[in-house]
Amino acid sequence: MDLVTLLQSVPLLATLVKSALPAAVGAGMGLGQWLAALPPCRDHTFDSATYLVCEADPKHYSIELFWKDPDGKLYQSLHNLRNAQQAAGRTMLFGINAGMYHPNLAPVGLYVERGQQIASAKIGAGTGNFSMQPNGIFYLSGGKAEIRATKDFLKRPPKVDYATQSGPMLVIDGKLHPKFQAGSPSRKIRDGVGVRADGVAVFAISNDVVTFHEFARLFRDELGCPNALFLDGSISSLYAPAIGRNDDFWNLGPMIGVFRRGG
C-alpha cells in the first residue's frame, strides 16, 4: 500500500479494526490478508449527503473491465467476479458496476475489454439517462484514465485497453451537465466515476438519495474532477468485503474491478 493511500485510510482503519476485521478473521482472513485487501476508499460527506469514495491512481492500481469469464460465462455479480479473481490468485480491492446494459446483460454503447472492442459506441437519440446528451466514455489508455464526451472521443478515438460508455456526463471540462437542475425532484442512489487533473480515477457511490445536480457537484466542487461520468442509479453497487461493503445485486452487466499493481 502506498503512503498516500494509507494516510487516507487511517480514519476508516480505526473503525474497521473494531468491526470488519473480526469478521474477516472469523472467515479465515488474517491481518496481513485483510490489509492487502484494503481498498483505497473512504467515507465522505458533502452537502449533507454521505458517499463512499474510492480513488485509484493508475500508476499504483490496475483498473479493469469485466463482463464474461474466460469460458464465456457471464459474471453477473460483483461477488462472482471477486471469487473468480481470487481463484486466479488476484485480490480485487473493490468492484463497481460499469454502466448500463441490455436485458441480456450485454453492454449498452462502447465497450472495450483488454483491447478488444465488444460493443460499438451508441450515438443515436433515445430515452433514459444514457441518451441524455452529452453522454461519455470512461477509458484506460496507456496506463492512464480519462473521460471524454462521446462525440469528442469519436472525433479522435484513441487506442484503448478498456472503455465503457454511459450517460449522462456529470461534469464536462469543469462545467455541470447543462440539463441538471438544482431543484430536481428526481433523487436516487447513484454511482459514477471522475478523473482528476493528476490522472487519478475517482469512483463514488451515494449512501443517500441525491439529484444529478448534487452528484455532479460532488465530483467537480469536492473531489476536483474536471470530467465525470454517471454509471448507474437504482442498481448502483460497490463491493469491497475488506471494509464490509457488500452490495451484491444479481444480473449485472459489465463491471469494473480494481487491483493493486504488483500485489
Side-chain angles (χ1 to χ4, degrees), residues 31-142:
L31 177 60
Q33 290 175 300
W34 179 69
L35 287 172
L38 194 67
C41 303
R42 67 185 189 277
D43 292 315
H44 201 95
T45 300
F46 177 66
D47 276 0
S48 301
T50 64
Y51 302 85
L52 185 64
V53 175
C54 302
E55 298 183 357
D57 186 339
K59 297 185 185 72
H60 305 295
Y61 297 92
S62 180
I63 304 168
E64 304 172 19
L65 282 158
F66 299 89
W67 180 42
K68 294 180 179 180
D69 67 19
D71 295 325
K73 182 180 179 181
L74 293 164
Y75 284 110
Q76 292 188 286
S77 76
L78 291 165
H79 181 87
N80 285 347
L81 175 60
R82 184 248 189 176
N83 286 349
Q85 296 306 302
Q86 192 171 42
R90 308 182 75 202
T91 299
M92 189 175 81
L93 303 179
F94 72 91
I96 190 169
N97 54 308
M100 300 170 197
Y101 48 90
H102 296 289
N104 66 354
L105 308 188
V108 175
L110 182 68
Y111 183 76
V112 178
E113 189 176 313
R114 298 185 181 277
Q116 179 182 359
Q117 181 175 308
I118 295 172
S120 58
K122 185 175 183 294
I123 58 174
T127 59
N129 292 328
F130 183 94
S131 297
M132 189 188 297
Q133 300 298 328
N135 59 21
I137 295 168
F138 169 65
Y139 63 97
L140 285 301
S141 176

